[in-house]
Amino acid sequence: MTEKVFIIQPILNDNYKTVHEEAVALIESAGAAYVGTAYQNIKEVNAATFIGSGKLNEICAELDGIDDLTILFNGALSPSQTLNISAALGDRKVIDRTTLILDIFARNAVTSEGKIQVEIAQLKYIYPRLKGKGAALSRLGGGIGSRGPGESQLETDRRHIAYRLKYLERRLEETKSRRSLQSDRRIKGNVKTIALVGYTNTGKSTLLNLLTGSDVLSRNALFVTLDPTARKLVIDDEEYLLIDTVGFIQELPHDIVEAFKSTLEVALRCDLALFVADASSDYRLQFSTTRQTLDELGFDKKVINVLNKCDLVDDLSSLPADCVLISAKTGNGIAALKERIKTQFEDRYIALDLFVPFRNLGCYEALKPYLKEISKEFTQDGLKCRVRTEKMHAEKFAEFIRRD
């Protein structure tokens, strides 16, 4: 049976509508059904119940007679606030935004690394909520918040969780070391890496498939991609490595950012990042959330801002001129995006005028993987040509460079 979720939406600032829309999408991504919302302006946070007992009494009366209903408080609750709200609403199951996001991550984690990162984030969230609360938390039962480590984990003591966290963090450190070695090999091999980063559900995986001819899972849901997915991208005979990464969202729990830091390091060590946002949504907020999250991790790479889903926008002239406007669904704007990508790597290349005597043509042929011929002409004594190569390979052609 589909779990039904009712939202309590505190109004703390002007972006509460966006946060609420995200909560509805999160509920659907968790496989549950959204049934309604109660809004409450907050002037001062109530230490015991966040929104105050009067509003909770109203909500309790409104929900009277509706069984098997989960309450999502769309914000962050302390352990005591969670229990107090639950008691005020007739001992209904109460979860907060972090619990919901962690549940979706647990549903979508596929690789061993992804599962480790999710469990670390869940245990760090559970850890401060266990002291003296084991029996109360265990009554939550199945559904949202019970996936991942499992309900039995909720009833273990703090010492066991601390031990489990140390074990998982050691395993994660091992995978981080392997990922770092892969990254070092790419740098040593001069592999040009491009990271797809941005808000969740903005079409990053669809864009990856379109650019590389892949069939990576993509669907209209939040946090479908948790693990980095790398595919080869070829633009005018130049090869790049395009890497899809975990998406962001407003108020992404700190423990998730920390747990997925090793995954996000793919973006930190790339040559170029494509910041992807949804042109039909609040793209300014999406860009700022992405930038803020990465800046906190020390991001300092080149960026191209990409507005996807432009097929859903009637007036494209209203969109920022410094963004590349595309539709990964229809393919519009992809040629312009490829051209912009090429431009970002231009400073890595140099044009050389070469003269290769006939006796050295064999040597020149062996060097062809490192160059792209712009023009060539055979003369009486050999080959005159203009080539384009990466600066790091220029020395290989030193004996053939024309000085005239």
Side-chain angles (χ1 to χ4, degrees):
M1 187 173 68
T2 302
E3 187 172 2
K4 295 176 292 185
V5 181
F6 181 87
I7 298 174
I8 296 177
Q9 177 62 59
I11 301 176
L12 297 164
N13 47 46
D14 293 338
N15 72 338
Y16 73 93
K17 290 182 180 179
T18 300
V19 175
H20 178 264
E21 289 171 2
E22 290 176 356
V24 174
L26 286 166
I27 289 167
E28 293 169 351
S29 295
Y34 162 67
V35 297
T37 301
Y39 295 91
Q40 178 63 28
N41 277 298
I42 303 293
K43 293 181 180 178
E44 185 176 342
V45 173
N46 184 296
T49 57
F50 202 105
I51 63 172
S53 57
K55 185 63 177 180
L56 286 173
N57 290 335
E58 287 181 25
I59 296 171
C60 188
E62 180 184 345
L63 302 179
D64 186 39
I66 305 176
D67 298 325
D68 300 322
L69 189 64
T70 295
I71 308 300
L72 167 65
F73 186 91
N74 197 20
L77 293 175
S78 69
S80 60
Q81 286 172 336
T82 303
L83 292 170
N84 292 336
I85 292 173
S86 176
L89 297 179
D91 284 338
R92 293 182 184 274
K93 175 182 171 183
V94 175
I95 61 174
D96 65 4
R97 185 180 176 90
T98 300
T99 304
L100 179 57
I101 292 174
L102 287 171
D103 183 86
I104 295 170
F105 271 58
R107 287 168 63 94
N108 293 340
V110 176
T111 66
S112 59
E113 181 180 12
K115 291 176 180 178
I116 289 170
Q117 291 174 123
V118 170
E119 187 171 355
I120 286 174
Q122 286 184 313
L123 292 179
K124 284 185 175 179
Y125 180 72
I126 290 169
Y127 186 79
R129 287 163 167 75
L130 279 179
K131 188 174 182 180
K133 303 290 195 298
L137 285 172
S138 68
R139 70 185 173 187
L140 294 181
I144 294 173
S146 63
R147 281 175 279 257
E151 184 181 344
S152 62
Q153 193 70 46
L154 295 172
E155 298 176 354
T156 59
D157 58 36
R158 295 166 71 90
R159 185 181 303 170
H160 181 73
I161 288 182
Y163 174 81
R164 177 72 176 166
L165 276 170
K166 287 180 181 178
Y167 166 73
L168 290 170
E169 285 170 346
R170 281 199 304 270
R171 286 189 60 191
L172 186 60
E173 193 62 33
E174 292 170 3
T175 63
K176 181 179 177 180
S177 298
R178 286 197 295 271
R179 194 182 296 283
S180 181
L181 285 173
Q182 288 177 341
S183 182
D184 290 341
R185 282 197 295 269
R186 288 169 184 164
I187 294 171
K188 189 175 180 180
N190 202 35
V191 177
K192 298 179 281 291
T193 56
I194 304 170
L196 284 168
V197 294
Y199 233 59
T200 182
N201 202 30
T202 54
K204 297 189 300 298
S205 296
T206 303
L207 179 57
L208 176 83
N209 288 338
L210 180 63
L211 288 171
T212 65
S214 305
D215 57 354
V216 173
L217 174 64
S218 62
R219 66 174 189 266
N220 186 27
L222 305 187
F223 300 119
V224 173
T225 300
L226 294 185
D227 303 290
T229 305
R231 295 292 185 271
K232 183 171 74 172
L233 167 64
V234 180
I235 304 176
D236 293 343
D237 298 327
E238 294 288 349
E239 291 188 0
Y240 307 84
L241 191 67
L242 186 62
I243 307 173
D244 193 9
T245 61
V246 63
F248 304 129
I249 198 170
Q250 276 209 90
E251 301 174 21
L252 189 63
H254 177 72
D255 286 339
I256 288 180
V257 176
E258 279 297 309
F260 279 78
K261 187 176 286 186
S262 64
T263 299
L264 292 171
E265 281 182 359
V266 170
L268 302 182
R269 302 188 70 174
C270 68
D271 298 302
L272 172 67
L274 305 185
F275 281 10
V276 184
D278 182 348
S280 65
S281 185
D282 189 347
Y283 55 83
R284 291 185 179 86
L285 175 65
Q286 294 175 9
F287 281 140
S288 65
T289 300
T290 300
R291 171 61 76 174
Q292 181 181 349
T293 304
L294 288 178
D295 281 352
E296 289 173 1
L297 298 175
F299 177 80
D300 62 353
K301 303 299 182 181
K302 293 180 179 180
V303 171
I304 298 176
N305 286 332
V306 180
L307 282 176
N308 189 25
K309 304 187 182 182
C310 286
D311 54 303
L312 303 178
V313 178
D314 294 328
D315 182 15
L316 296 180
S317 65
S318 64
L319 300 176
D322 62 339
C323 295
V324 181
L325 310 183
I326 69 163
S327 168
K329 181 179 179 181
T330 67
N332 288 340
I334 297 302
L337 176 59
K338 289 181 177 179
E339 196 60 37
R340 183 76 73 89
I341 290 172
K342 281 175 54 183
T343 301
Q344 293 295 321
F345 286 94
E346 282 300 317
D347 59 356
R348 294 176 60 157
Y349 293 89
I350 187 172
L352 300 173
D353 292 307
L354 307 179
F355 175 74
V356 184
F358 285 122
R359 66 178 180 275
N360 297 119
L361 283 179
C363 179
Y364 175 75
E365 288 294 324
L367 292 173
K368 272 197 170 180
Y370 301 103
L371 62 82
K372 184 175 182 181
E373 289 181 335
I374 301 172
S375 63
K376 66 178 180 179
E377 173 191 357
F378 284 100
T379 68
Q380 188 174 353
D381 302 313
L383 172 67
K384 287 175 63 176
C385 59
R386 185 172 179 79
V387 302
R388 183 172 178 268
T389 186
E390 292 192 51
K391 291 176 181 176
M392 65 177 295
H393 298 312
E395 233 177 85
K396 301 180 190 297
F397 303 92
E399 62 177 303
F400 305 130
I401 295 176
R402 289 160 51 194
R403 306 297 180 186
D404 55 331

